[in-house]
Amino acid sequence: MATRAPDRLAAVPPDRPKRPPRLRRHLVHQLDVKGSPYAYVAPFFLLFSAFGLFPLAYTAWVSLHEWTLLQDEQTFVGLENFRTLLADDYFWNATFNTLSIGVLSTAPQLLLAIWLAHLLNRPLRAQTFFRITLLLPNVTSVVAVVVIFSQLFGRDFGMINWVFSLVGVDGIAWNEGVLSSHFAISTMIMWRWTGYNALIFLAAMQAVPRELYEAATIDGASGMTQLRKITIPMIKPTIIFVVITSTIGAMQILAEPLLFSSYIITGGVDRQYQTLSLFIYENFTKLDFGYASAISWMMFVFIVVVAGINYLLTRRGKGGLT
């Protein structure tokens, strides 16, 4: 009797990996597109909260107390430190000095930086050399800068007074007068930061389309006309950025007046160039942390106000630059 051959087993295709549903893929894509940028910037905000916001808030809390290391307990006094501060002549003197030095150093510095960037934006030989040279003052130690300039502005043996003597001008005691000391400190700041800002302006200028300059040259526009009519309007956002950052830096001047006065924290015998930062440092050395914190918060308010005014003035001038 013939036997039936066993039926051949049908081949079962291997299981294929299941694809996620379309909705799941869409959600993952949306999470990646919208959520990943926040994950990238999260480390900055975490560090800023730890080392920026928390010290700022803690300083505000300290400013509401009579806080010194000479006492075991810190007494809550509310706004008393701020009331005392607003009636303090030394505080207003430091505020005036800070604003005066800031204006004398910032305004000429930015104008000179734009002019230097405009010159370097043209075809020149050894462009890299000139750009590196502009950055050298910024990377130089501030101590070395102030020491050298203090010698240049010396009353008896300074080079600047020696040049003045050649034209019959008597020597100037640069660190004794208000205006003269402000001018000397502003010169140090300008020398250190002009090249740095010029490189920022140069980077913005190189993004301006060259066709605009070529068309202006064909129309007979001079270099200064191109700077005023083309370059400045096109780099307006960069100008606003540099103005704000320079203003913040000018309100925080500390090293230059401190070293110019040979480490006298009062900014001269008559406080003729004591800035707000020096005034804060003076009160910290007195271990009066509550009063020093109040000064710090007032300086923070001044920085916000001055930076806001500069921003509004720069934005309002947009129409006049075009």
Side-chain angles (χ1 to χ4, degrees), residues 212-238:
L212 298 177
Y213 295 108
E214 294 173 359
T217 303
I218 295 175
D219 292 339
S222 62
M224 290 303 298
T225 302
Q226 294 180 21
L227 174 64
R228 184 168 54 89
K229 295 292 186 177
I230 299 177
T231 306
I232 293 180
M234 293 296 293
I235 65 170
K236 188 63 178 298
T238 305

PDB file of all heavy atoms in Angstrom, residues 212-238:
ATOM      1  N   LEU A 212      26.851  96.706  -2.993  1.00  0.00           N
ATOM      2  CA  LEU A 212      26.437  98.043  -2.577  1.00  0.00           C
ATOM      3  C   LEU A 212      27.600  99.025  -2.675  1.00  0.00           C
ATOM      4  O   LEU A 212      27.430 100.166  -3.124  1.00  0.00           O
ATOM      5  CB  LEU A 212      25.896  98.000  -1.152  1.00  0.00           C
ATOM      6  CG  LEU A 212      24.644  97.134  -0.919  1.00  0.00           C
ATOM      7  CD1 LEU A 212      24.264  97.123   0.561  1.00  0.00           C
ATOM      8  CD2 LEU A 212      23.490  97.656  -1.756  1.00  0.00           C
ATOM      9  N   TYR A 213      28.777  98.602  -2.254  1.00  0.00           N
ATOM     10  CA  TYR A 213      29.943  99.484  -2.336  1.00  0.00           C
ATOM     11  C   TYR A 213      30.350  99.726  -3.788  1.00  0.00           C
ATOM     12  O   TYR A 213      30.764 100.838  -4.158  1.00  0.00           O
ATOM     13  CB  TYR A 213      31.107  98.884  -1.555  1.00  0.00           C
ATOM     14  CG  TYR A 213      30.861  98.783  -0.079  1.00  0.00           C
ATOM     15  CD1 TYR A 213      30.631  97.548   0.523  1.00  0.00           C
ATOM     16  CD2 TYR A 213      30.857  99.920   0.735  1.00  0.00           C
ATOM     17  CE1 TYR A 213      30.403  97.446   1.892  1.00  0.00           C
ATOM     18  CE2 TYR A 213      30.632  99.818   2.102  1.00  0.00           C
ATOM     19  CZ  TYR A 213      30.406  98.583   2.669  1.00  0.00           C
ATOM     20  OH  TYR A 213      30.177  98.495   4.017  1.00  0.00           O
ATOM     21  N   GLU A 214      30.254  98.675  -4.602  1.00  0.00           N
ATOM     22  CA  GLU A 214      30.618  98.839  -6.005  1.00  0.00           C
ATOM     23  C   GLU A 214      29.685  99.818  -6.702  1.00  0.00           C
ATOM     24  O   GLU A 214      30.133 100.679  -7.482  1.00  0.00           O
ATOM     25  CB  GLU A 214      30.578  97.479  -6.701  1.00  0.00           C
ATOM     26  CG  GLU A 214      31.625  96.497  -6.192  1.00  0.00           C
ATOM     27  CD  GLU A 214      31.465  95.117  -6.777  1.00  0.00           C
ATOM     28  OE1 GLU A 214      30.507  94.935  -7.570  1.00  0.00           O
ATOM     29  OE2 GLU A 214      32.273  94.224  -6.456  1.00  0.00           O
ATOM     30  N   ALA A 215      28.389  99.712  -6.405  1.00  0.00           N
ATOM     31  CA  ALA A 215      27.439 100.652  -7.009  1.00  0.00           C
ATOM     32  C   ALA A 215      27.683 102.072  -6.506  1.00  0.00           C
ATOM     33  O   ALA A 215      27.601 103.044  -7.280  1.00  0.00           O
ATOM     34  CB  ALA A 215      26.009 100.218  -6.692  1.00  0.00           C
ATOM     35  N   ALA A 216      27.995 102.219  -5.204  1.00  0.00           N
ATOM     36  CA  ALA A 216      28.278 103.551  -4.664  1.00  0.00           C
ATOM     37  C   ALA A 216      29.546 104.134  -5.263  1.00  0.00           C
ATOM     38  O   ALA A 216      29.625 105.348  -5.525  1.00  0.00           O
ATOM     39  CB  ALA A 216      28.392 103.475  -3.147  1.00  0.00           C
ATOM     40  N   THR A 217      30.556 103.305  -5.517  1.00  0.00           N
ATOM     41  CA  THR A 217      31.794 103.786  -6.130  1.00  0.00           C
ATOM     42  C   THR A 217      31.544 104.261  -7.549  1.00  0.00           C
ATOM     43  O   THR A 217      32.083 105.292  -7.983  1.00  0.00           O
ATOM     44  CB  THR A 217      32.852 102.667  -6.119  1.00  0.00           C
ATOM     45  OG1 THR A 217      33.063 102.242  -4.777  1.00  0.00           O
ATOM     46  CG2 THR A 217      34.166 103.165  -6.706  1.00  0.00           C
ATOM     47  N   ILE A 218      30.720 103.525  -8.283  1.00  0.00           N
ATOM     48  CA  ILE A 218      30.382 103.942  -9.645  1.00  0.00           C
ATOM     49  C   ILE A 218      29.645 105.270  -9.635  1.00  0.00           C
ATOM     50  O   ILE A 218      29.855 106.127 -10.513  1.00  0.00           O
ATOM     51  CB  ILE A 218      29.543 102.849 -10.339  1.00  0.00           C
ATOM     52  CG1 ILE A 218      30.379 101.577 -10.518  1.00  0.00           C
ATOM     53  CG2 ILE A 218      29.005 103.339 -11.669  1.00  0.00           C
ATOM     54  CD1 ILE A 218      29.601 100.403 -11.078  1.00  0.00           C
ATOM     55  N   ASP A 219      28.795 105.478  -8.629  1.00  0.00           N
ATOM     56  CA  ASP A 219      28.058 106.741  -8.517  1.00  0.00           C
ATOM     57  C   ASP A 219      28.924 107.883  -8.013  1.00  0.00           C
ATOM     58  O   ASP A 219      28.443 109.025  -7.914  1.00  0.00           O
ATOM     59  CB  ASP A 219      26.853 106.573  -7.594  1.00  0.00           C
ATOM     60  CG  ASP A 219      25.794 105.661  -8.204  1.00  0.00           C
ATOM     61  OD1 ASP A 219      25.808 105.508  -9.447  1.00  0.00           O
ATOM     62  OD2 ASP A 219      24.983 105.099  -7.453  1.00  0.00           O
ATOM     63  N   GLY A 220      30.180 107.600  -7.658  1.00  0.00           N
ATOM     64  CA  GLY A 220      31.086 108.660  -7.220  1.00  0.00           C
ATOM     65  C   GLY A 220      31.058 108.937  -5.734  1.00  0.00           C
ATOM     66  O   GLY A 220      31.566 109.989  -5.306  1.00  0.00           O
ATOM     67  N   ALA A 221      30.527 108.027  -4.926  1.00  0.00           N
ATOM     68  CA  ALA A 221      30.479 108.248  -3.483  1.00  0.00           C
ATOM     69  C   ALA A 221      31.871 108.048  -2.886  1.00  0.00           C
ATOM     70  O   ALA A 221      32.579 107.098  -3.227  1.00  0.00           O
ATOM     71  CB  ALA A 221      29.487 107.289  -2.834  1.00  0.00           C
ATOM     72  N   SER A 222      32.249 108.921  -1.973  1.00  0.00           N
ATOM     73  CA  SER A 222      33.547 108.819  -1.314  1.00  0.00           C
ATOM     74  C   SER A 222      33.499 107.741  -0.229  1.00  0.00           C
ATOM     75  O   SER A 222      32.445 107.186   0.078  1.00  0.00           O
ATOM     76  CB  SER A 222      33.943 110.163  -0.705  1.00  0.00           C
ATOM     77  OG  SER A 222      33.005 110.546   0.297  1.00  0.00           O
ATOM     78  N   GLY A 223      34.674 107.480   0.357  1.00  0.00           N
ATOM     79  CA  GLY A 223      34.736 106.474   1.402  1.00  0.00           C
ATOM     80  C   GLY A 223      33.913 106.846   2.617  1.00  0.00           C
ATOM     81  O   GLY A 223      33.221 106.004   3.201  1.00  0.00           O
ATOM     82  N   MET A 224      33.964 108.110   3.036  1.00  0.00           N
ATOM     83  CA  MET A 224      33.181 108.540   4.189  1.00  0.00           C
ATOM     84  C   MET A 224      31.690 108.504   3.892  1.00  0.00           C
ATOM     85  O   MET A 224      30.877 108.176   4.764  1.00  0.00           O
ATOM     86  CB  MET A 224      33.610 109.944   4.610  1.00  0.00           C
ATOM     87  CG  MET A 224      34.995 110.017   5.221  1.00  0.00           C
ATOM     88  SD  MET A 224      35.175 108.946   6.674  1.00  0.00           S
ATOM     89  CE  MET A 224      33.948 109.665   7.764  1.00  0.00           C
ATOM     90  N   THR A 225      31.320 108.828   2.651  1.00  0.00           N
ATOM     91  CA  THR A 225      29.899 108.760   2.279  1.00  0.00           C
ATOM     92  C   THR A 225      29.409 107.318   2.317  1.00  0.00           C
ATOM     93  O   THR A 225      28.301 107.027   2.795  1.00  0.00           O
ATOM     94  CB  THR A 225      29.686 109.356   0.891  1.00  0.00           C
ATOM     95  OG1 THR A 225      30.139 110.717   0.881  1.00  0.00           O
ATOM     96  CG2 THR A 225      28.213 109.326   0.508  1.00  0.00           C
ATOM     97  N   GLN A 226      30.229 106.389   1.835  1.00  0.00           N
ATOM     98  CA  GLN A 226      29.848 104.982   1.897  1.00  0.00           C
ATOM     99  C   GLN A 226      29.737 104.498   3.336  1.00  0.00           C
ATOM    100  O   GLN A 226      28.850 103.709   3.665  1.00  0.00           O
ATOM    101  CB  GLN A 226      30.879 104.151   1.133  1.00  0.00           C
ATOM    102  CG  GLN A 226      30.914 104.418  -0.351  1.00  0.00           C
ATOM    103  CD  GLN A 226      31.946 103.569  -1.064  1.00  0.00           C
ATOM    104  OE1 GLN A 226      32.371 102.533  -0.553  1.00  0.00           O
ATOM    105  NE2 GLN A 226      32.363 103.999  -2.254  1.00  0.00           N
ATOM    106  N   LEU A 227      30.640 104.984   4.181  1.00  0.00           N
ATOM    107  CA  LEU A 227      30.565 104.610   5.598  1.00  0.00           C
ATOM    108  C   LEU A 227      29.275 105.107   6.224  1.00  0.00           C
ATOM    109  O   LEU A 227      28.614 104.387   6.980  1.00  0.00           O
ATOM    110  CB  LEU A 227      31.773 105.172   6.340  1.00  0.00           C
ATOM    111  CG  LEU A 227      31.786 104.998   7.865  1.00  0.00           C
ATOM    112  CD1 LEU A 227      31.839 103.523   8.238  1.00  0.00           C
ATOM    113  CD2 LEU A 227      32.958 105.744   8.487  1.00  0.00           C
ATOM    114  N   ARG A 228      28.909 106.347   5.894  1.00  0.00           N
ATOM    115  CA  ARG A 228      27.739 106.954   6.533  1.00  0.00           C
ATOM    116  C   ARG A 228      26.432 106.461   5.937  1.00  0.00           C
ATOM    117  O   ARG A 228      25.442 106.298   6.663  1.00  0.00           O
ATOM    118  CB  ARG A 228      27.837 108.482   6.396  1.00  0.00           C
ATOM    119  CG  ARG A 228      26.734 109.263   7.105  1.00  0.00           C
ATOM    120  CD  ARG A 228      27.089 110.746   7.148  1.00  0.00           C
ATOM    121  NE  ARG A 228      27.369 111.257   5.825  1.00  0.00           N
ATOM    122  CZ  ARG A 228      26.440 111.770   5.001  1.00  0.00           C
ATOM    123  NH1 ARG A 228      25.181 111.812   5.388  1.00  0.00           N
ATOM    124  NH2 ARG A 228      26.782 112.241   3.829  1.00  0.00           N
ATOM    125  N   LYS A 229      26.410 106.215   4.633  1.00  0.00           N
ATOM    126  CA  LYS A 229      25.156 105.874   3.962  1.00  0.00           C
ATOM    127  C   LYS A 229      24.925 104.371   3.815  1.00  0.00           C
ATOM    128  O   LYS A 229      23.782 103.935   3.681  1.00  0.00           O
ATOM    129  CB  LYS A 229      25.120 106.519   2.566  1.00  0.00           C
ATOM    130  CG  LYS A 229      25.084 108.031   2.567  1.00  0.00           C
ATOM    131  CD  LYS A 229      23.764 108.553   3.110  1.00  0.00           C
ATOM    132  CE  LYS A 229      23.672 110.070   2.987  1.00  0.00           C
ATOM    133  NZ  LYS A 229      22.357 110.582   3.458  1.00  0.00           N
ATOM    134  N   ILE A 230      25.997 103.581   3.836  1.00  0.00           N
ATOM    135  CA  ILE A 230      25.852 102.150   3.598  1.00  0.00           C
ATOM    136  C   ILE A 230      26.247 101.338   4.829  1.00  0.00           C
ATOM    137  O   ILE A 230      25.458 100.550   5.361  1.00  0.00           O
ATOM    138  CB  ILE A 230      26.693 101.708   2.378  1.00  0.00           C
ATOM    139  CG1 ILE A 230      26.218 102.426   1.120  1.00  0.00           C
ATOM    140  CG2 ILE A 230      26.618 100.199   2.208  1.00  0.00           C
ATOM    141  CD1 ILE A 230      27.055 102.094  -0.107  1.00  0.00           C
ATOM    142  N   THR A 231      27.490 101.551   5.289  1.00  0.00           N
ATOM    143  CA  THR A 231      28.030 100.675   6.330  1.00  0.00           C
ATOM    144  C   THR A 231      27.270 100.805   7.641  1.00  0.00           C
ATOM    145  O   THR A 231      26.833  99.803   8.218  1.00  0.00           O
ATOM    146  CB  THR A 231      29.522 100.987   6.546  1.00  0.00           C
ATOM    147  OG1 THR A 231      30.207 100.898   5.305  1.00  0.00           O
ATOM    148  CG2 THR A 231      30.120 100.015   7.542  1.00  0.00           C
ATOM    149  N   ILE A 232      27.136 102.033   8.129  1.00  0.00           N
ATOM    150  CA  ILE A 232      26.510 102.221   9.438  1.00  0.00           C
ATOM    151  C   ILE A 232      25.061 101.731   9.465  1.00  0.00           C
ATOM    152  O   ILE A 232      24.668 101.016  10.400  1.00  0.00           O
ATOM    153  CB  ILE A 232      26.623 103.690   9.881  1.00  0.00           C
ATOM    154  CG1 ILE A 232      28.094 104.041  10.144  1.00  0.00           C
ATOM    155  CG2 ILE A 232      25.780 103.954  11.120  1.00  0.00           C
ATOM    156  CD1 ILE A 232      28.320 105.463  10.591  1.00  0.00           C
ATOM    157  N   PRO A 233      24.227 102.055   8.465  1.00  0.00           N
ATOM    158  CA  PRO A 233      22.858 101.503   8.512  1.00  0.00           C
ATOM    159  C   PRO A 233      22.820  99.982   8.436  1.00  0.00           C
ATOM    160  O   PRO A 233      21.964  99.349   9.068  1.00  0.00           O
ATOM    161  CB  PRO A 233      22.194 102.136   7.283  1.00  0.00           C
ATOM    162  CG  PRO A 233      22.959 103.378   7.022  1.00  0.00           C
ATOM    163  CD  PRO A 233      24.363 103.057   7.385  1.00  0.00           C
ATOM    164  N   MET A 234      23.754  99.364   7.702  1.00  0.00           N
ATOM    165  CA  MET A 234      23.719  97.917   7.539  1.00  0.00           C
ATOM    166  C   MET A 234      24.190  97.169   8.791  1.00  0.00           C
ATOM    167  O   MET A 234      23.805  96.020   9.010  1.00  0.00           O
ATOM    168  CB  MET A 234      24.573  97.506   6.335  1.00  0.00           C
ATOM    169  CG  MET A 234      24.019  97.979   5.002  1.00  0.00           C
ATOM    170  SD  MET A 234      22.422  97.246   4.587  1.00  0.00           S
ATOM    171  CE  MET A 234      22.883  95.534   4.365  1.00  0.00           C
ATOM    172  N   ILE A 235      25.037  97.800   9.594  1.00  0.00           N
ATOM    173  CA  ILE A 235      25.542  97.128  10.808  1.00  0.00           C
ATOM    174  C   ILE A 235      24.859  97.689  12.052  1.00  0.00           C
ATOM    175  O   ILE A 235      25.414  97.599  13.152  1.00  0.00           O
ATOM    176  CB  ILE A 235      27.065  97.257  10.918  1.00  0.00           C
ATOM    177  CG1 ILE A 235      27.482  98.728  11.123  1.00  0.00           C
ATOM    178  CG2 ILE A 235      27.754  96.681   9.710  1.00  0.00           C
ATOM    179  CD1 ILE A 235      28.935  98.906  11.480  1.00  0.00           C
ATOM    180  N   LYS A 236      23.679  98.248  11.896  1.00  0.00           N
ATOM    181  CA  LYS A 236      22.985  98.872  13.017  1.00  0.00           C
ATOM    182  C   LYS A 236      22.778  97.907  14.203  1.00  0.00           C
ATOM    183  O   LYS A 236      23.003  98.289  15.353  1.00  0.00           O
ATOM    184  CB  LYS A 236      21.644  99.426  12.548  1.00  0.00           C
ATOM    185  CG  LYS A 236      20.930 100.266  13.585  1.00  0.00           C
ATOM    186  CD  LYS A 236      21.759 101.487  13.925  1.00  0.00           C
ATOM    187  CE  LYS A 236      21.044 102.357  14.923  1.00  0.00           C
ATOM    188  NZ  LYS A 236      19.772 102.875  14.414  1.00  0.00           N
ATOM    189  N   PRO A 237      22.351  96.649  13.994  1.00  0.00           N
ATOM    190  CA  PRO A 237      22.201  95.749  15.154  1.00  0.00           C
ATOM    191  C   PRO A 237      23.508  95.544  15.914  1.00  0.00           C
ATOM    192  O   PRO A 237      23.508  95.457  17.147  1.00  0.00           O
ATOM    193  CB  PRO A 237      21.697  94.452  14.519  1.00  0.00           C
ATOM    194  CG  PRO A 237      21.051  94.871  13.248  1.00  0.00           C
ATOM    195  CD  PRO A 237      21.864  96.022  12.749  1.00  0.00           C
ATOM    196  N   THR A 238      24.616  95.463  15.196  1.00  0.00           N
ATOM    197  CA  THR A 238      25.905  95.293  15.870  1.00  0.00           C
ATOM    198  C   THR A 238      26.265  96.534  16.669  1.00  0.00           C
ATOM    199  O   THR A 238      26.824  96.441  17.772  1.00  0.00           O
ATOM    200  CB  THR A 238      27.002  94.991  14.838  1.00  0.00           C
ATOM    201  OG1 THR A 238      26.615  93.851  14.064  1.00  0.00           O
ATOM    202  CG2 THR A 238      28.332  94.723  15.515  1.00  0.00           C
TER     203      THR A 238
END
